[in-house]
Amino acid sequence: MSTAEKATRVRFAPSPTGALHIGGARTALYNWLAARHDGGTMVLRIEDTDLERSTPENVAQILDALRWLDLDWDEGPISQVGRANDHAAALQKLLDSGAAYPDSATAEDVKAWKAEHGADRGYRGTPSGDGSGAIRLRVPDDGDTVVDDLIRGEVRFPNRSYDDFVIARNDGSVLYNFAVAVDDADMGITEVIRGDDHLSNTPKQLLVFEALGIKPPRYAHVPLLHGPDGKKLSKRHGAASVQELRDAGYLPEAIRNYIALLGWGPGDDETLLSTDDLVERFRPEDVGKSSAVFDEKKLRWMNGRYMREMPAWEYLEAVRSFVEAETGGRPLNEERFEFGCRIVQEKAQTLREVWPLIRFLFEPPVQDDKAWRKVMKGEAARVLTEVEALLIGIADSGEGPNHDGFAIEAVQSVLEPLPEKLDLGAGKVFQPIRVAITGTTISPGIFESVAALGREETLARIEVARSKLADQS
Ligand code: GLU
């Protein structure tokens, strides 16, 4: 065999009846990995034959999602509807060879036939003399159609129980399974990797290949994704679209890594594998038979790991667009913005989480009453008095993000010993500072937060909190 004949050709064939969801993205990724692993070809085919539900907006969204995930294709997008002439040619070929025939039987007639022959006997029709009726494919009476699935192993379908099924309407418009098989044949697809909801379509598609006299591709039916509750993911149940994940602040490389591991890989879903690793290791036959669980919590965790590893400039630029969406693009102090982003790079798990964590640096704190009640009691007033005195004592060396002496180390050196000095737990000391300067109990590290906010603003906010505390007692 020449290398040209061996070359892997895969396709991703979404129906543009909605956005690209996480399950579809995983199918796209597996196809893409199979192609890149072998130096093969990825074809993008848009299965737009459902004219009522397919829309150009959905096509655009799917392409956009694939591009964002960095899953590039080598051929296409090819519209299935646009291939009507090719489908007609294949249909004619089967009519000419007698592998397909027009049958004028109505649904009632088929029912009557089945009543006579037994319900599990596949319908066999009679060619209409005048060419009227739907076009059916002849299914042999004997033997099995065998799907030798790369993942599921051998799955047998007895031909006897399959109807001579309709492949085209009388107006020449073709049906789904016929179009898919003709397209896969014409495009020289060598491996079909798709969701196992399509396994039941495969015998019909194989029968079309057989009738066309063309060697079929290998099939790899990937188990569908389930949610953490064990239920199948669907558009109505927990299946986030790629666009939603992007807007939620996930990174494409983290999504690629995480969804690759759903059903494939070293056995857990926490392994960090670069795209190069994935390409090198992925083989469709290694995908597991059991369904995998998409757990957004795990994706979050993995995304956090990827965010930490991002080069500083890349991380800043990625965060910036999320922040601009929140602030309406009003200008922020750039130095403070960069410093703020840096101190939460290890903490935030999504790009969207960054702004809520650093917002206090640019706006007066919005006091969370629950946090206030929880923290601002007992020793809090005494703590804040001590803290204020210590911070005032930091010399204005010009160091630090605000050039006022409040460098992280300087702040740390005065605040770190305080719990011991006051004989209080760390929380009792640092939470009141946190609530005073951010309004909440959640913030970046306290030394970093104080340094980022700077001398003037930190002391002003502590002063406000102290007088509120005094009023309260
Ligand atoms: N268009 C089908 C879908 O979106 C995929 C068909 C296939 O991969 O063969 O579910």
Side-chain angles (χ1 to χ4, degrees), residues 221-300:
H221 286 97
V222 177
L224 296 185
L225 296 180
H226 289 232
D229 60 1
K231 293 208 190 97
K232 230 177 240 177
L233 281 194
S234 66
K235 289 177 195 177
R236 260 160 277 107
H237 181 69
S241 70
V242 172
Q243 266 89 2
E244 281 162 352
L245 295 175
R246 172 172 65 186
D247 293 347
Y250 291 103
L251 301 167
E253 35 306 337
I255 296 179
R256 287 200 301 268
N257 188 158
Y258 180 66
I259 64 180
L261 300 177
L262 297 176
W264 169 86
D268 64 60
D269 44 18
E270 294 186 354
T271 311
L272 299 184
L273 291 171
S274 69
T275 300
D276 286 347
D277 287 335
L278 295 174
V279 166
E280 193 184 313
R281 298 205 208 171
F282 182 81
R283 297 184 321 156
E285 53 269 46
D286 295 336
V287 174
K289 282 193 195 45
S290 43
S291 60
V293 171
F294 173 73
D295 185 347
E296 196 175 334
K297 282 214 269 327
K298 293 191 171 170
L299 172 61
R300 263 189 120 71

Side-chain angles (χ1 to χ4, degrees), residues 11 13-15 45 47 176 180 184 192-194 197-198 205:
R11 85 307 194 269
S15 304
R45 183 168 81 222
E47 301 204 322
Y176 175 73
V180 170
D184 286 340
V192 169
I193 304 169
R194 62 187 176 193
D197 49 335
H198 285 283
Q205 295 173 13

Side-chain angles (χ1 to χ4, degrees), residues 316-317 320 331-341 362:
L316 274 177
E317 287 325 296
R320 202 181 295 279
L332 302 176
N333 177 319
E334 180 60 21
E335 209 173 335
R336 189 177 273 200
F337 172 71
E338 291 186 13
F339 187 83
C341 287
F362 307 95

